Amino acid sequence: MSTTIPKDTFSFFNKLAKNNDRDWFNEHKPEFKAIEAKVKSAYSHLGELMATHDQIEKMKIFRIYRDVRFSKNKQPYKTHFGGSFTRKKPELRGGYYLHIQPNNESFIATGFWEPNKEDLLRIRKEFEMDDSEIRAILNDKTFSKTWGSFVGDELKTAPKGFDKEHPAIDLIRKKQYIFIKKYSDKEVLQDDFLENVNDAFKKIRPYFDYMSDVLTTNLNGESLL
């Protein structure tokens, strides 16, 4: 099993970016498939590392082919690898994502990308009722050093039914509750990259434990499972 990202990953994607057409890709497909096999093995290794501290239900590595039907960008191929790790449902919430892209565009992401309307309302109502616990997590030095602050889309004002002057409105108006950590090409190609990613994922756990508790209970703290 490969425990590192192959060093020719970035050079291949840089060449693909300059020749993003089917003829070039088909000619170089054996090269891509060899790289892809090593990358899939590396993602599997990361999944094994994560399984020592979390319950991962499934891993998915996204295909290189782009869906161009509704996109202005008609280039047929992605110039990155992306893979997600899903936690055991329904009791464990949140997800992990690893993105490998040249020119220092690699990153990992965790959290809640597109919470359904019921989950989004439940999260907002929790913050409206008491935001002390989430702020303690966000302000923890170990956590914030690794993950920083929330990123993602948010409303310009209060959601319907919420007071725009509420002390927690900065949290309530968010539509996504995600964190992103970026990596340079040099960092990605280091031998201990996947161990570093796993360590960062491990440090998100207080946030995931809190959100899982929120999303599996009602406002009275009674279990919904």
Side-chain angles (χ1 to χ4, degrees):
M1 176 177 288
S2 177
T3 60
T4 60
I5 301 299
K7 298 191 184 306
D8 47 356
T9 304
F10 292 150
S11 58
F12 179 85
F13 278 138
N14 282 327
K15 288 184 287 185
L16 177 58
K18 297 174 182 177
N19 304 275
N20 202 324
D21 62 72
R22 287 178 175 82
D23 288 342
W24 187 92
F25 184 79
N26 288 333
E27 183 181 343
H28 294 82
K29 195 168 185 178
E31 180 185 356
F32 170 73
K33 297 302 287 185
I35 293 170
E36 182 186 46
K38 293 177 183 176
V39 169
K40 285 183 174 181
S41 180
Y43 272 77
S44 294
H45 174 64
L46 175 60
E48 291 183 356
L49 293 175
M50 294 167 64
T52 65
H53 58 84
D54 203 350
Q55 297 181 63
I56 304 300
E57 198 167 56
K58 81 179 168 181
M59 178 187 79
K60 179 179 181 181
I61 297 178
F62 301 101
R63 301 171 74 228
I64 194 171
Y65 306 100
R66 295 184 63 252
D67 183 355
V68 300
R69 292 174 298 170
F70 308 107
S71 174
K72 291 181 180 179
N73 181 356
K74 297 301 181 183
Q75 292 183 331
Y77 306 105
K78 301 170 186 173
T79 53
H80 66 266
F81 284 113
S84 63
F85 301 83
T86 303
R87 305 182 78 214
K88 185 175 181 293
K89 298 291 186 292
E91 60 269 35
L92 303 180
R93 299 299 181 88
Y96 306 91
Y97 176 76
L98 169 60
H99 185 97
I100 302 297
Q101 184 172 348
N103 306 310
N104 305 311
E105 294 292 334
S106 299
F107 64 89
I108 56 176
T110 60
F112 300 81
W113 283 265
E114 294 179 338
N116 61 46
K117 64 179 183 179
E118 292 81 13
D119 283 354
L120 184 58
L121 178 61
R122 177 67 183 88
I123 292 167
R124 286 170 168 169
K125 295 297 282 185
E126 183 71 24
F127 294 163
E128 180 185 48
M129 186 169 62
D130 180 12
D131 64 336
S132 61
E133 195 167 349
I134 183 63
R135 292 202 190 276
I137 293 169
L138 298 176
N139 293 330
D140 178 80
K141 288 184 178 179
T142 300
F143 184 92
S144 61
K145 184 179 179 181
T146 300
W147 288 107
S149 304
F150 279 128
V151 296
D153 296 338
E154 59 182 46
L155 300 170
K156 292 182 179 179
T157 185
K160 186 177 180 180
F162 290 86
D163 180 5
K164 65 180 181 180
E165 302 299 330
H166 192 282
I169 195 61
D170 59 316
L171 299 172
I172 292 169
R173 71 184 182 197
K174 293 185 181 299
K175 296 193 289 183
Q176 299 174 307
Y177 294 93
I178 57 179
F179 297 92
I180 290 177
K181 179 175 172 58
K182 297 181 179 180
Y183 291 92
S184 68
D185 292 358
K186 182 180 179 181
E187 289 172 321
V188 172
L189 297 179
Q190 289 177 345
D191 290 344
D192 61 351
F193 170 64
L194 295 176
E195 285 74 14
N196 287 335
V197 169
N198 179 59
D199 187 58
F201 282 156
K202 196 183 296 185
K203 289 189 172 82
I204 203 70
R205 191 59 176 273
Y207 171 64
F208 275 0
D209 288 348
Y210 167 75
M211 292 291 263
S212 294
D213 183 57
V214 168
L215 292 171
T216 58
T217 60
N218 61 23
L219 285 169
N220 293 321
E222 299 162 335
S223 176
L224 299 174
L225 301 180

